[in-house]
Amino acid sequence: EERKLHLDKQHDELMSALEILQNAINKIDRETRTTFKDVFDSLNQNLAKSFPKLFGGGHAELVLLGDNLLTAGIAISARPPGKKNSSVAQLSGGEKALTAIALVFAFFELNPAPFCMLDEVDAPLDDINIKKFTNVINEFAKNTQFIIITHNKLTMEESDYMYGVTQQEEGVSKIVSVKFGNGEMKEVT
């Protein structure tokens, strides 16, 4: 009888602990769903603003691929002006790059960072889209420092500083830094 009372007490403690854990899991699940939905909706609103800036119109949105917020996939629906695309896969390389850049800037509006490094994101863009890209960069540069790795002259022209590596002699690399300002270049040592 003493052993049964001991086992019943342990069973009750285990059931109580299980209930506490289940309640904690349910609370975390509810809070995670709420937080995810709020962030997802805010990101979608930001994407709806940043996409037209880069494309001069059109519409883009994030779409959940399933009913369960925590396990559903996410797709991007992008429709540049004059096109009826429903999937990013149907876009050209430059359009895909601009869509990805619009999504990055939508994240930046949601959660600004002090700096951002972009590596060759402008490579697939033509001159007109480079201008749109640099305009958005300049807009965000008020609050964020951008480090852009690029080979595009138009992107370089919009920068305040430029760092590069040159080989004046074969096998000897030299780091060059240039500061732009007031329409003039000045080599920085």
Side-chain angles (χ1 to χ4, degrees):
E1 187 176 316
E2 195 175 306
R3 178 82 174 136
K4 181 179 179 335
L5 288 174
H6 177 69
L7 290 175
D8 285 345
K9 183 179 176 189
Q10 283 186 336
H11 178 265
D12 291 344
E13 287 176 6
L14 285 173
M15 295 309 288
S16 175
L18 182 61
E19 184 179 343
I20 290 170
L21 284 174
Q22 192 60 49
N23 288 338
I25 289 169
N26 291 339
K27 180 182 177 191
I28 291 169
D29 193 50
R30 277 192 311 274
E31 289 174 2
T32 303
R33 286 175 193 277
T34 301
T35 302
F36 176 82
K37 183 66 173 147
D38 292 345
V39 169
F40 183 82
D41 291 343
S42 295
L43 186 60
N44 238 342
Q45 290 172 357
N46 293 345
L47 181 60
K49 289 188 290 186
S50 65
F51 186 85
K53 285 181 188 176
L54 289 163
F55 280 90
H59 177 73
E61 67 178 333
L62 298 173
V63 180
L64 287 173
L65 302 174
D67 295 330
N68 186 340
L69 291 176
L70 302 180
T71 60
I74 298 174
I76 300 174
S77 172
R79 288 181 293 284
K83 292 196 174 185
K84 295 184 180 184
N85 296 347
S86 60
S87 165
V88 175
Q90 297 171 329
L91 300 176
S92 70
E95 290 169 332
K96 287 177 186 177
L98 279 180
T99 301
I101 291 166
L103 184 58
V104 167
F105 288 122
F107 273 108
F108 260 91
E109 283 190 47
L110 185 66
N111 189 11
F115 75 94
C116 175
M117 181 178 281
L118 301 173
D119 186 4
E120 296 286 345
V121 297
D122 57 352
L125 303 179
D126 60 14
D127 290 352
I128 292 169
N129 288 326
I130 289 287
K131 190 66 182 158
K132 292 175 185 175
F133 166 69
T134 57
N135 286 342
V136 172
I137 289 285
N138 288 330
E139 181 182 321
F140 277 89
K142 296 171 187 167
N143 299 315
T144 301
Q145 182 177 10
F146 285 91
I147 300 167
I148 302 175
I149 300 167
T150 185
H151 289 93
N152 189 290
K153 293 175 187 175
L154 295 175
T155 303
M156 289 181 210
E157 286 176 2
E158 291 294 320
S159 64
D160 296 327
Y161 293 91
M162 184 171 60
Y163 299 92
V165 178
T166 184
Q167 281 191 351
Q168 292 176 344
E169 300 176 41
E170 189 174 327
V172 179
S173 296
K174 179 183 175 188
I175 296 176
V176 177
S177 57
V178 177
K179 179 181 179 182
F180 298 102
N182 300 332
E184 54 187 68
M185 288 188 337
K186 185 171 117 179
E187 189 169 336
V188 181
T189 54

